[in-house]
Amino acid sequence: MSVPDSSRARWPLVAHRDDVQVTAIGQLDVGSTAPMARDSVFQPVSSTKPITAAAVLMLVEDGRFGLDAPIAELAAPMVVRTPRSPVDDDVPAARPITVRDLLTFRAGYGFPSDFSLPQLQELFTVQTGGREARLRPEPGGWLARLARIPLPHQPGESWLYDTCADLQGILIARASGVPAAQRDRFARYYRSAENQPRAARGQPGLPRRPGPGLRRRDRGRSRAATAGPAAPEPALA
């Protein structure tokens, strides 16, 4: 397997049973002559999305909230009448946004394939690139700006890229109980001592088995939620 020909780097891989051979070809970046190596380090970028989703499911399994619990700050969004409607031609959402919507990227927030939509131009002013995430305002301010932008689709109606992962990260930071004064609350939760027993192959925070939301797709409720009182409504800020 290798990356496309347009790239300056390739990693050919040949595997036969337990015999795996990998070769690194190319340079570390377009402005460097340093050679690529098998252990070259890169930003994980969107590979963090399934890790973030796993952390959300861990909190569901712990009974912090249910998969179908509405998100308090996103409970009453506005939705443009059609994806190509002006941003001021909107209607109320048919239902609240839930944790399940965030996990399936169907909350209504995110990037469609058509970048010319009026709503998306507004989203670009709030949803900056991942490399600029630290330049964003604190989560409460960022959420307030996001909530002023109408959705291009009703919650649960369409898959849209990226924004739901950011919302998941904020949800984890708030629901995990890590004090707000501590920076990088998501990372602190993931590395916390209470999650160490669930480590898989020495990687903190990765559950050994699928969460109940994956095993019970017909109901999508955690063991804690079905065994006792309803899980509390999650809050992002």
Side-chain angles (χ1 to χ4, degrees):
M1 183 184 76
S2 65
V3 297
D5 292 342
S6 59
S7 173
R8 296 279 303 269
R10 295 187 185 185
W11 290 269
L13 183 149
V14 178
H16 179 67
R17 296 180 181 174
D18 294 333
D19 184 12
V20 179
Q21 298 185 18
V22 182
T23 302
I25 303 172
Q27 288 76 44
L28 284 175
D29 59 68
V30 294
S32 171
T33 58
M36 187 69 61
R38 286 186 58 176
D39 59 353
S40 295
V41 177
F42 295 88
Q43 291 186 356
V45 292
S46 285
S47 297
T48 60
K49 287 181 172 61
I51 299 173
T52 305
V56 172
L57 289 173
M58 290 162 60
L59 289 168
V60 170
E61 188 172 46
D62 288 343
R64 302 292 182 91
F65 45 76
L67 285 173
D68 295 315
I71 304 298
E73 286 77 11
L74 305 176
M78 300 299 290
V79 184
V80 290
R81 195 172 300 278
T82 72
R84 293 198 169 277
S85 296
V87 292
D88 57 355
D89 182 12
D90 53 20
V91 297
R95 63 168 177 79
I97 293 171
T98 66
V99 174
R100 186 189 302 274
D101 293 327
L102 297 187
L103 287 169
T104 59
F105 279 40
R106 294 176 181 269
Y109 288 111
F111 299 113
S113 58
D114 186 354
F115 278 24
S116 68
L117 299 179
Q119 184 273 350
L120 189 58
Q121 304 311 307
E122 293 290 323
L123 183 61
F124 276 136
T125 66
V126 177
Q127 183 72 21
T128 55
R131 295 180 181 180
E132 302 175 2
R134 290 186 176 272
L135 301 179
R136 297 177 186 171
E138 51 83 27
W142 184 79
L143 283 169
R145 293 177 58 190
L146 181 67
R148 289 195 291 266
I149 301 174
L151 308 178
H153 298 279
Q154 290 283 349
E157 184 179 278
S158 182
W159 187 93
L160 298 170
Y161 185 65
D162 197 49
T163 309
C164 285
D166 286 342
L167 293 170
Q168 289 176 45
I170 298 174
L171 175 62
I172 293 164
R174 296 293 188 260
S176 63
V178 178
Q182 297 182 5
R183 297 185 59 188
D184 299 321
R185 290 193 290 165
F186 175 90
R188 288 178 180 273
Y189 166 70
Y190 228 58
R191 297 168 183 160
S192 65
E194 71 179 55
N195 290 321
Q196 295 303 317
R198 300 192 233 188
R201 300 179 182 178
Q203 299 176 8
L206 295 179
R208 293 179 180 176
R209 61 188 183 280
L214 295 180
R215 293 197 303 269
R216 303 176 181 179
R217 286 176 294 180
D218 56 331
R219 287 179 290 173
R221 293 176 295 178
S222 70
R223 182 167 58 250
T226 56
E233 181 174 302
L236 293 177

